[in-house]
Amino acid sequence: MKVILYKPTLNDRGALFTRQVLTQTTQKQLVVCVLLEQLVDAIATRNGEDIIIVLLAEDREHLRMIYNIHDVLFGHKCILVLPDMESETISLGHHLRPRFITDFSAPPENLGAVLTKMLQNFALNFSDVSDPADQEALGNEDTQATDQACNE
């Protein structure tokens, strides 16, 4: 499972959200894109591997640019961070069909918790772990990582 983080230059606004993604993923799992072209290429070259896409939209115009590639995002698990919670922005964000929507005024730990849960669900659904005790241990490790991220 790969996590693709799309984070254009966001100054300090996106730093806490970026840190949540970095905390919940390994270097091997994470692909960071700063240009839309890089995002499209990263999705296209995934070679059948499951991906989670985290999109940080810096403003409404940038959200419209992301919307212009909605066909590339279709069918993938996405987390979307909106620039604001105005009705037009929320409506445009919903057209992207993300699994989770938040905005920059919300606690970044929410994004970290959702990402952790998505990764945990993937690991439980697609791992070779057949012993229930091993599955429980896997779940506990992920819960501990979420707790640690939320306490930082």
Side-chain angles (χ1 to χ4, degrees), residues 15-149:
L16 296 174
F17 289 88
T18 300
R19 190 170 72 174
Q20 285 296 316
V21 175
L22 296 174
T23 301
Q24 303 306 322
T25 58
T26 65
Q27 186 174 3
K28 184 179 175 183
Q29 285 178 306
L30 185 62
V31 176
V32 178
C33 304
V34 294
L35 301 172
L36 278 175
E37 295 80 12
Q38 292 173 326
L39 174 63
V40 171
D41 289 344
I43 294 169
T45 59
R46 66 182 175 80
N47 297 324
E49 187 173 17
D50 288 313
I51 57 175
I52 297 171
I53 304 167
V54 180
L55 302 164
L56 306 182
E58 60 188 2
D59 56 35
R60 194 175 299 159
E61 182 57 34
H62 195 242
L63 181 60
R64 286 186 188 103
M65 291 169 45
I66 294 170
Y67 178 76
N68 288 335
I69 64 160
H70 71 278
D71 55 326
V72 175
L73 302 172
F74 184 76
H76 297 293
K77 297 172 182 77
C78 293
I79 296 172
L80 178 60
V81 180
L82 297 173
D84 57 63
M85 292 302 276
E86 294 181 23
S87 60
E88 182 183 339
T89 306
I90 294 169
S91 177
L92 188 57
H94 276 287
H95 285 288
L96 295 172
R97 307 181 106 187
R99 296 279 177 111
F100 179 69
I101 294 179
T102 189
D103 76 310
F104 287 109
S105 68
E109 295 82 11
N110 294 349
L111 180 144
V114 170
L115 179 58
T116 297
K117 187 67 171 177
M118 291 171 76
L119 290 167
Q120 178 183 2
N121 287 341
F122 176 81
L124 290 176
N125 289 330
F126 297 101
S127 70
D128 292 331
V129 179
S130 57
D131 183 5
D134 290 341
Q135 289 179 353
E136 183 178 330
L138 179 62
N140 287 339
E141 289 173 11
D142 289 332
T143 302
Q144 291 169 354
T146 302
D147 292 343
Q148 179 184 2

